[in-house]
Amino acid sequence: MPTYTLHYFPLRARGELIRLLFAAAGKTYTDKIITFADWPSKKSEMPTGQLPVLEVDGEKISQSLAISRYLSREFGLAGDSSLDQARTDQVVDTIGDLLTEFFKYAFEKDTEKKEELKKKTFDSVLTTFATNITKFLDMNKDKSGYFVGKKLTAADLAVYEGFEDFVLVDPKALDKYPKLVAHRKLVLSNPKVKAYVDKRPKTDV
């Protein structure tokens, strides 16, 4: 088996789907945390000067979604067919867009603007993405509760983590979307995922 090292900040953010994939697959890796103080001296060592970066037997792979797709395929969490993989990707990519919107609010420094962004994020942004993600769930002909087929894929892990930020700020954020609430419980019914989520460090994002 390859040797894996994940380089990322002490955050969930763009690195957490990667960690969840390792957890769900029960695979070993080194989670190398780079502090914000150390980042300027480490930045030049990364292919694009960004994180996360995954080292696979010493080779550095950048871009969070590229890393997630690679691991999903390696660990059998991408879907059983090419079409299933596309179904998985469409969900993961949509959650990537959701995170981009959430981070505009989360990382805003100006107090007044942050409050405006919070209202937008928890109103129109949440409504749009929760509605669209629920449509993807309904599109699964297997009606298994998962997004693709009858088992856990990267799509499920991405959706769980994508809405985690909302639920941490407002525990009732998904109350209007019972299918997503049920889906979160389904994801946590996986013992490996639950064990990881229960012990992971608490961060704002």
Side-chain angles (χ1 to χ4, degrees):
M1 186 182 81
T3 298
Y4 299 108
T5 300
L6 174 64
H7 300 263
Y8 198 53
F9 301 115
L11 301 171
R12 288 178 291 106
R14 300 286 184 186
E16 198 63 8
L17 175 55
I18 298 166
R19 295 183 181 118
L20 284 167
L21 287 165
F22 277 114
K27 300 296 184 181
T28 301
Y29 72 107
T30 299
D31 195 357
K32 191 169 185 179
I33 302 298
I34 297 178
T35 66
F36 293 107
D38 288 341
W39 174 233
S41 66
K42 300 290 185 182
K43 187 173 182 178
S44 63
E45 299 175 11
M46 305 304 162
T48 62
Q50 297 174 313
L51 296 178
V53 164
L54 181 70
E55 277 191 68
V56 184
D57 288 337
E59 180 177 351
K60 292 177 179 175
I61 308 296
S62 61
Q63 297 296 337
S64 60
L65 293 183
I67 295 167
S68 297
R69 288 190 178 97
Y70 162 71
L71 293 177
S72 298
R73 293 191 294 266
E74 288 293 296
F75 298 162
L77 293 166
D80 292 336
S81 67
S82 295
L83 185 55
D84 277 351
Q85 289 176 14
R87 291 171 177 137
T88 298
D89 287 346
Q90 71 178 350
V91 176
V92 172
D93 289 358
T94 301
I95 291 297
D97 293 340
L98 173 62
L99 290 178
T100 296
E101 292 298 320
F102 186 88
F103 294 154
K104 291 177 184 177
Y105 149 69
F107 293 116
E108 177 57 51
K109 301 297 184 183
D110 182 270
T111 304
E112 186 174 337
K113 189 173 182 181
K114 188 180 182 76
E115 194 59 34
E116 293 175 0
L117 285 171
K118 181 179 181 180
K119 186 178 185 304
K120 176 185 176 183
T121 302
F122 281 80
D123 186 358
S124 59
V125 170
L126 176 59
T127 298
T128 297
F129 280 91
T131 299
N132 289 340
I133 290 295
T134 299
K135 289 178 184 176
F136 287 140
L137 194 58
D138 290 338
M139 286 165 58
N140 185 357
K141 295 178 181 179
D142 288 313
K143 304 302 178 186
S144 61
Y146 294 108
F147 279 90
V148 180
K150 298 179 181 179
K151 61 184 181 180
L152 187 78
T153 65
D156 301 293
L157 298 172
V159 170
Y160 177 85
E161 185 57 31
F163 288 110
E164 178 77 350
D165 292 313
F166 288 88
V167 173
L168 287 175
V169 175
D170 178 7
K172 297 182 178 180
L174 293 180
D175 281 3
K176 294 180 181 178
Y177 309 96
K179 291 180 181 179
L180 295 182
V181 173
H183 176 263
R184 291 178 65 79
K185 293 178 181 177
L186 179 61
V187 171
L188 288 182
S189 71
N190 181 293
K192 292 177 182 177
V193 173
K194 187 176 189 307
Y196 169 74
V197 170
D198 285 347
K199 70 178 179 61
R200 68 183 176 182
K202 306 298 181 185
T203 62
D204 291 335
V205 292

Coordinates of all heavy atoms in Angstrom, one line a residue, residues 89-132:
D89 N -19.3 12.6 -8.5 CA -18.6 13.8 -8.8 C -19.5 15.0 -8.8 O -19.1 16.1 -8.3 CB -17.8 13.7 -10.1 CG -16.6 12.8 -10.1 OD1 -16.2 12.5 -9.0 OD2 -16.1 12.5 -11.1
Q90 N -20.7 14.9 -9.4 CA -21.6 16.0 -9.4 C -22.0 16.5 -8.0 O -22.1 17.7 -7.8 CB -22.8 15.7 -10.3 CG -23.8 14.8 -9.7 CD -25.1 14.5 -10.5 OE1 -25.3 15.2 -11.5 NE2 -25.9 13.6 -10.2
V91 N -22.1 15.6 -7.1 CA -22.5 15.9 -5.7 C -21.3 16.6 -5.1 O -21.4 17.6 -4.4 CB -23.0 14.7 -5.0 CG1 -23.2 15.1 -3.5 CG2 -24.2 14.1 -5.6
V92 N -20.1 15.9 -5.2 CA -18.9 16.5 -4.5 C -18.6 17.9 -5.1 O -18.3 18.8 -4.3 CB -17.7 15.5 -4.8 CG1 -16.4 16.2 -4.3 CG2 -17.9 14.2 -4.1
D93 N -18.7 18.1 -6.4 CA -18.4 19.4 -6.9 C -19.4 20.4 -6.5 O -19.1 21.6 -6.3 CB -18.4 19.3 -8.5 CG -17.2 18.6 -9.0 OD1 -16.4 18.1 -8.2 OD2 -17.1 18.4 -10.2
T94 N -20.7 20.0 -6.3 CA -21.7 21.0 -5.9 C -21.4 21.4 -4.4 O -21.5 22.6 -4.1 CB -23.1 20.4 -5.9 OG1 -23.4 20.0 -7.3 CG2 -24.2 21.3 -5.5
I95 N -21.0 20.5 -3.6 CA -20.6 20.8 -2.2 C -19.4 21.7 -2.2 O -19.2 22.6 -1.4 CB -20.3 19.5 -1.4 CG1 -21.7 18.8 -1.2 CG2 -19.7 19.8 -0.1 CD1 -22.7 19.6 -0.4
G96 N -18.5 21.5 -3.2 CA -17.3 22.4 -3.3 C -17.8 23.8 -3.5 O -17.2 24.8 -2.9
D97 N -18.8 24.0 -4.3 CA -19.4 25.4 -4.5 C -20.0 25.9 -3.3 O -19.9 27.1 -3.0 CB -20.4 25.3 -5.7 CG -19.8 25.0 -7.0 OD1 -18.6 25.2 -7.2 OD2 -20.6 24.6 -7.9
L98 N -20.7 25.0 -2.5 CA -21.3 25.4 -1.3 C -20.2 25.9 -0.3 O -20.4 26.9 0.4 CB -22.1 24.3 -0.7 CG -22.6 24.5 0.8 CD1 -23.6 25.6 0.8 CD2 -23.3 23.2 1.3
L99 N -19.1 25.2 -0.2 CA -18.1 25.6 0.7 C -17.5 27.0 0.3 O -17.2 27.8 1.2 CB -17.0 24.5 0.7 CG -17.3 23.2 1.4 CD1 -16.1 22.2 1.2 CD2 -17.7 23.4 2.8
T100 N -17.4 27.2 -0.9 CA -16.9 28.5 -1.4 C -17.8 29.6 -0.9 O -17.3 30.7 -0.4 CB -16.8 28.5 -2.9 OG1 -15.9 27.6 -3.4 CG2 -16.4 29.9 -3.4
E101 N -19.1 29.4 -1.0 CA -20.0 30.4 -0.5 C -19.9 30.6 1.0 O -19.9 31.7 1.6 CB -21.4 30.0 -0.9 CG -21.7 30.1 -2.4 CD -21.5 31.5 -2.9 OE1 -21.9 32.5 -2.2 OE2 -20.9 31.7 -4.0
F102 N -19.8 29.5 1.7 CA -19.8 29.5 3.2 C -18.5 30.2 3.7 O -18.6 31.0 4.6 CB -19.9 28.1 3.8 CG -20.0 28.1 5.3 CD1 -21.2 28.2 6.0 CD2 -18.8 28.1 6.1 CE1 -21.3 28.3 7.3 CE2 -18.9 28.1 7.5 CZ -20.1 28.2 8.1
F103 N -17.4 30.0 3.0 CA -16.2 30.5 3.5 C -16.1 32.1 3.3 O -15.4 32.8 4.0 CB -15.0 29.9 2.7 CG -14.8 28.4 3.1 CD1 -14.2 27.6 2.2 CD2 -15.2 27.9 4.3 CE1 -14.0 26.2 2.5 CE2 -15.1 26.6 4.6 CZ -14.4 25.7 3.7
K104 N -16.9 32.6 2.3 CA -17.0 34.0 2.2 C -17.5 34.6 3.5 O -17.0 35.7 3.9 CB -18.0 34.4 1.1 CG -17.5 34.0 -0.3 CD -18.5 34.4 -1.4 CE -18.1 33.9 -2.8 NZ -19.1 34.2 -3.8
Y105 N -18.5 34.0 4.1 CA -19.0 34.4 5.4 C -18.0 34.1 6.5 O -17.6 35.0 7.3 CB -20.3 33.8 5.7 CG -20.6 33.5 7.2 CD1 -20.8 34.6 8.0 CD2 -20.6 32.2 7.7 CE1 -21.0 34.4 9.4 CE2 -20.8 32.0 9.0 CZ -21.0 33.1 9.9 OH -21.3 32.8 11.2
A106 N -17.5 32.9 6.6 CA -16.7 32.4 7.7 C -15.4 33.2 7.9 O -14.9 33.5 9.0 CB -16.4 31.0 7.5
F107 N -14.8 33.6 6.7 CA -13.5 34.3 6.8 C -13.5 35.8 6.7 O -12.5 36.5 6.6 CB -12.5 33.7 5.8 CG -12.2 32.2 6.0 CD1 -12.6 31.3 5.1 CD2 -11.5 31.9 7.1 CE1 -12.3 29.9 5.3 CE2 -11.1 30.5 7.4 CZ -11.5 29.6 6.5
E108 N -14.7 36.3 6.6 CA -14.9 37.8 6.5 C -14.4 38.4 7.9 O -14.8 38.0 8.9 CB -16.3 38.2 6.2 CG -16.6 39.6 6.2 CD -15.8 40.4 5.2 OE1 -15.7 40.0 4.0 OE2 -15.1 41.4 5.6
K109 N -13.6 39.5 7.8 CA -13.1 40.1 9.0 C -14.0 41.3 9.4 O -14.0 41.6 10.6 CB -11.7 40.6 8.7 CG -10.7 39.6 8.3 CD -10.5 38.6 9.4 CE -9.4 37.5 9.0 NZ -9.2 36.5 10.0
D110 N -14.6 42.0 8.5 CA -15.4 43.2 8.8 C -16.7 42.7 9.5 O -17.5 41.9 8.9 CB -15.7 44.0 7.6 CG -16.5 45.2 7.9 OD1 -17.8 45.1 7.9 OD2 -15.9 46.3 8.1
T111 N -16.9 43.2 10.7 CA -18.1 42.7 11.5 C -19.4 43.0 10.8 O -20.3 42.1 10.8 CB -18.1 43.4 12.9 OG1 -16.8 43.1 13.5 CG2 -19.2 42.8 13.8
E112 N -19.6 44.2 10.3 CA -20.9 44.5 9.7 C -21.1 43.7 8.4 O -22.2 43.2 8.2 CB -20.9 46.0 9.4 CG -22.2 46.5 8.8 CD -22.3 48.0 8.6 OE1 -21.5 48.7 9.3 OE2 -23.1 48.5 7.8
K113 N -20.1 43.6 7.6 CA -20.2 42.8 6.4 C -20.4 41.3 6.7 O -21.2 40.6 6.0 CB -19.0 43.0 5.5 CG -19.1 42.4 4.1 CD -18.0 42.7 3.2 CE -18.2 42.2 1.8 NZ -17.0 42.5 0.9
K114 N -19.7 40.8 7.7 CA -19.9 39.4 8.1 C -21.3 39.1 8.5 O -21.9 38.1 8.2 CB -18.9 39.1 9.3 CG -18.9 37.6 9.6 CD -17.9 37.4 10.8 CE -17.8 35.9 11.1 NZ -16.9 35.2 10.2
E115 N -22.0 40.0 9.2 CA -23.4 39.8 9.6 C -24.3 39.8 8.4 O -25.2 39.0 8.3 CB -23.8 40.9 10.6 CG -25.1 40.6 11.3 CD -25.1 39.4 12.1 OE1 -24.0 39.1 12.7 OE2 -26.1 38.7 12.2
E116 N -24.0 40.6 7.4 CA -24.8 40.6 6.1 C -24.6 39.3 5.4 O -25.5 38.7 4.9 CB -24.3 41.8 5.3 CG -24.7 43.2 5.8 CD -24.1 44.3 4.9 OE1 -23.5 44.0 3.9 OE2 -24.3 45.4 5.3
L117 N -23.3 38.8 5.4 CA -23.0 37.6 4.7 C -23.6 36.4 5.4 O -24.1 35.4 4.8 CB -21.5 37.4 4.6 CG -20.8 38.3 3.5 CD1 -19.3 38.1 3.6 CD2 -21.3 37.8 2.1
K118 N -23.7 36.5 6.7 CA -24.3 35.4 7.5 C -25.8 35.2 7.1 O -26.3 34.1 6.9 CB -24.2 35.6 9.0 CG -24.8 34.5 9.8 CD -24.6 34.8 11.3 CE -25.2 33.6 12.1 NZ -25.1 33.8 13.6
K119 N -26.5 36.4 7.0 CA -27.9 36.3 6.7 C -28.1 35.7 5.3 O -28.9 34.8 5.1 CB -28.5 37.7 6.7 CG -30.0 37.8 6.5 CD -30.5 39.2 6.6 CE -32.1 39.2 6.5 NZ -32.6 38.6 5.3
K120 N -27.3 36.1 4.3 CA -27.4 35.6 3.0 C -27.0 34.1 3.0 O -27.7 33.3 2.3 CB -26.4 36.4 2.1 CG -26.4 35.8 0.6 CD -25.4 36.5 -0.2 CE -25.3 35.9 -1.6 NZ -24.2 36.5 -2.4
T121 N -26.0 33.7 3.7 CA -25.5 32.4 3.6 C -26.5 31.4 4.2 O -26.8 30.3 3.7 CB -24.2 32.2 4.4 OG1 -23.2 33.1 3.8 CG2 -23.6 30.8 4.4
F122 N -27.1 31.8 5.4 CA -28.1 30.9 6.0 C -29.5 31.1 5.5 O -30.4 30.4 6.0 CB -28.0 31.2 7.5 CG -26.9 30.5 8.2 CD1 -25.6 31.1 8.2 CD2 -27.0 29.3 8.8 CE1 -24.5 30.5 8.7 CE2 -25.9 28.7 9.4 CZ -24.7 29.3 9.4
D123 N -29.7 31.9 4.5 CA -31.0 32.1 3.9 C -30.9 31.6 2.5 O -31.2 30.4 2.2 CB -31.4 33.6 3.9 CG -32.8 33.8 3.4 OD1 -33.5 32.8 3.0 OD2 -33.3 35.0 3.4
S124 N -30.6 32.4 1.5 CA -30.7 32.1 0.1 C -29.6 31.0 -0.3 O -30.0 30.1 -1.1 CB -30.5 33.3 -0.8 OG -29.3 33.9 -0.6
V125 N -28.4 31.1 0.2 CA -27.4 30.1 -0.1 C -27.8 28.7 0.4 O -27.7 27.7 -0.4 CB -26.0 30.5 0.4 CG1 -25.0 29.4 0.2 CG2 -25.5 31.8 -0.3
L126 N -28.1 28.7 1.7 CA -28.5 27.4 2.2 C -29.7 26.8 1.5 O -29.8 25.6 1.2 CB -28.8 27.5 3.7 CG -29.3 26.3 4.4 CD1 -28.3 25.1 4.3 CD2 -29.6 26.6 5.9
T127 N -30.7 27.6 1.3 CA -31.9 27.2 0.6 C -31.6 26.6 -0.8 O -32.1 25.5 -1.1 CB -33.0 28.3 0.4 OG1 -33.3 28.8 1.7 CG2 -34.2 27.8 -0.3
T128 N -30.8 27.3 -1.6 CA -30.5 26.8 -2.9 C -29.7 25.5 -2.9 O -30.1 24.6 -3.6 CB -29.6 27.9 -3.6 OG1 -30.4 29.1 -3.8 CG2 -29.2 27.4 -5.0
F129 N -28.7 25.4 -2.1 CA -27.9 24.2 -2.1 C -28.6 23.0 -1.4 O -28.5 21.9 -1.9 CB -26.5 24.5 -1.4 CG -25.6 25.2 -2.3 CD1 -25.5 26.6 -2.4 CD2 -24.7 24.5 -3.2 CE1 -24.6 27.2 -3.2 CE2 -23.9 25.1 -4.0 CZ -23.8 26.5 -4.1
A130 N -29.3 23.3 -0.3 CA -30.0 22.2 0.3 C -31.1 21.6 -0.6 O -31.3 20.4 -0.7 CB -30.6 22.6 1.6
T131 N -31.7 22.5 -1.3 CA -32.8 22.0 -2.3 C -32.2 21.2 -3.4 O -32.7 20.1 -3.8 CB -33.5 23.2 -2.9 OG1 -34.2 24.0 -1.8 CG2 -34.6 22.8 -3.8
N132 N -31.1 21.7 -4.0 CA -30.4 21.0 -5.1 C -29.8 19.7 -4.6 O -29.9 18.7 -5.4 CB -29.4 21.9 -5.7 CG -30.0 23.1 -6.5 OD1 -31.2 23.0 -6.9 ND2 -29.2 24.1 -6.7

